[in-house]
Amino acid sequence: MKEFDPIPGEAVRLGPGLRRVLAPNPSPMTYRGTNTYLLGDADLVVVDPGPDDAAHLAALTDAIGAAQVSHILVTHAHLDHSPLAARLAARTGAPVLAYGPSDAGRSAVMQDLVAQGYAGGGEGVDTRFAPDVTVGDGAVIETPAGAVHVLHTPGHMGNHICLKWGDAVFSGDLVMEWATSLVSPPDGDVSDFIASCRRLRAWGGAVLYPGHGAPVDDPAARIDWLIAHRTERRAAVLGVLSHTPTGISQITAAVYRDVDEALWPIAARNVFAQLIELVTTGEAVARPALSFEAAFSRI
């Protein structure tokens, strides 16, 4: 893993017309903090304003300086990415663009889970997020800083998008160099995650600029590793299952023996995502019904 320890609030130039400002919100889920990107020079596009933090707003205001902000783009509606958008929009007059609100883009499986009464998940979701303009898969956002192309990439979250600007791709939390992504139902879907990784790989781009951590200089290799990792985890979850119904905590302990036990509650959300996929494909069954509290067994 690359060394990555920038100073929060400092605008770092990554290339022509591209700067990064790190938000001061480090955590086990955000690494050093959220990366906010500024595209352009005299006219700017802001990608992922970050958390609702006064110090980060001040840092972005300083970095913007006398420039105009034409667009504010949000990759997904998590509390570490989207809440500052409204305050930055009020300050700059720029519209906020995203795929949709926090529940947009959910897979049919996850919609059914919610319709059946499942009320779990929702870790860090910005339920108040409401973009001014929605952009769909394949959209091209014309800005003074250049065209930004949109790829809908659900998996980490249903309303997740990746953005291509020239040879640079802003990958949000789908693909990162420092860690894999949380996939927590009903906001996350592991089948969608793998499909989105494959689409992103085919989309191209010389470098990925993620929501957290250092740039990914070899996107294809990293994406291939992530797909293989999820596939291995799926096989491990299936391998743990037997004809005896077993709870998620026991499955997590067996599958994630190589992970610090303090992280097992987070890992359990990924296990649940894998189990939903196995139930959907008919390889496992949940009793009495599909939920986080269910007992799972192999068919």
Side-chain angles (χ1 to χ4, degrees):
M1 187 172 66
K2 292 181 185 176
E3 182 177 345
F4 182 77
D5 197 16
I7 299 171
E10 186 175 284
V12 177
R13 186 164 293 278
L14 303 175
L18 177 60
R19 290 177 291 162
R20 179 190 63 220
V21 181
L22 180 71
N25 61 328
S27 77
M29 296 301 294
T30 61
Y31 194 35
R32 304 300 186 199
T34 300
N35 295 326
T36 298
Y37 297 99
L38 304 180
L39 287 56
D41 293 305
D43 293 281
L44 303 177
V45 174
V46 179
V47 176
D48 280 349
D52 189 1
D53 180 273
H56 191 49
L57 179 61
L60 291 180
T61 300
D62 287 345
I64 292 166
Q68 298 295 312
V69 176
S70 65
H71 298 75
I72 299 169
L73 311 182
V74 175
T75 62
H76 63 292
H78 269 150
L79 289 170
D80 55 327
H81 287 260
S82 57
L84 196 60
R87 291 176 66 185
L88 188 62
R91 180 163 295 191
T92 64
V96 178
L97 288 74
Y99 186 81
S102 61
D103 60 351
R106 281 179 178 166
S107 67
V109 172
M110 297 306 161
Q111 291 181 41
D112 287 345
L113 193 64
V114 172
Q116 292 165 16
Y118 179 69
E123 296 89 353
V125 173
D126 183 6
T127 57
R128 299 169 62 183
F129 178 67
D132 299 310
V133 180
T134 59
V135 291
D137 185 54
V140 180
I141 305 166
E142 298 292 350
T143 83
V148 179
H149 298 256
V150 177
L151 185 72
H152 182 217
T153 50
H156 172 67
M157 193 169 185
N159 75 343
H160 194 288
I161 54 176
C162 291
L163 304 164
K164 184 188 285 184
W165 180 64
D167 286 335
V169 173
F170 302 93
S171 57
D173 285 3
L174 182 73
V175 177
M176 300 178 286
E177 190 269 345
W178 71 282
T180 59
S181 298
L182 174 67
V183 179
S184 179
D187 306 296
D189 183 301
V190 72
S191 295
D192 279 355
F193 181 89
I194 292 174
S196 291
C197 282
R198 288 177 174 146
R199 291 193 70 208
L200 180 60
R201 192 188 193 285
W203 210 35
V207 59
L208 304 182
Y209 292 102
H212 310 278
V216 179
D217 296 323
D218 190 346
R222 181 58 178 169
I223 292 170
D224 287 346
W225 184 90
L226 285 172
I227 292 172
H229 173 74
R230 294 286 176 182
T231 302
E232 290 167 4
R233 288 296 192 198
R234 183 189 193 280
V237 170
L238 185 60
V240 167
L241 292 180
S242 68
H243 295 295
T244 301
T246 308
I248 285 179
S249 60
Q250 291 82 8
I251 298 170
T252 302
V255 172
Y256 282 86
R257 287 175 293 180
D258 59 333
V259 174
D260 187 336
E261 190 172 343
L263 297 176
W264 284 1
I266 297 172
R269 303 303 306 170
N270 285 325
V271 168
F272 185 39
Q274 295 281 9
L275 288 166
I276 290 173
E277 201 268 342
L278 290 170
V279 170
T280 302
T281 59
E283 297 168 82
V285 63
R287 295 184 177 88
L290 184 59
S291 73
F292 190 79
E293 293 74 27
F296 296 86
S297 58
R298 195 164 186 159
I299 296 295

